[in-house]
Amino acid sequence: MNFEYSSRRGKGSHGRIRLGEYWTTVPRGEIPTGTLAAMLRDLRVDRRDL
């Protein structure tokens, strides 16, 4: 599965992660728990797999 991070694709202090065909927006700095949960849902990753 392909993984890509691009700081140019996000706006302001955000970047983008692409995992296979799925993508999510990533804030720079510390990521709150709820935001991380939403990002994992966007990428179709189970938190137990981390």
Side-chain angles (χ1 to χ4, degrees):
M1 186 171 290
N2 293 332
F3 173 85
E4 178 184 332
Y5 172 77
S6 175
S7 61
R8 290 183 246 167
R9 302 289 269 161
K11 291 185 176 184
S13 62
H14 292 75
R16 273 209 156 155
I17 288 180
R18 184 174 63 84
L19 184 62
E21 63 184 89
Y22 304 108
W23 62 271
T24 191
T25 302
V26 181
R28 292 199 182 118
E30 199 165 321
I31 301 172
T33 304
T35 303
L36 178 59
M39 291 168 48
L40 293 175
R41 270 195 310 272
D42 290 345
L43 296 171
R44 312 307 195 268
V45 173
D46 189 310
R47 68 184 181 108
R48 293 173 291 199
D49 293 334
L50 297 177

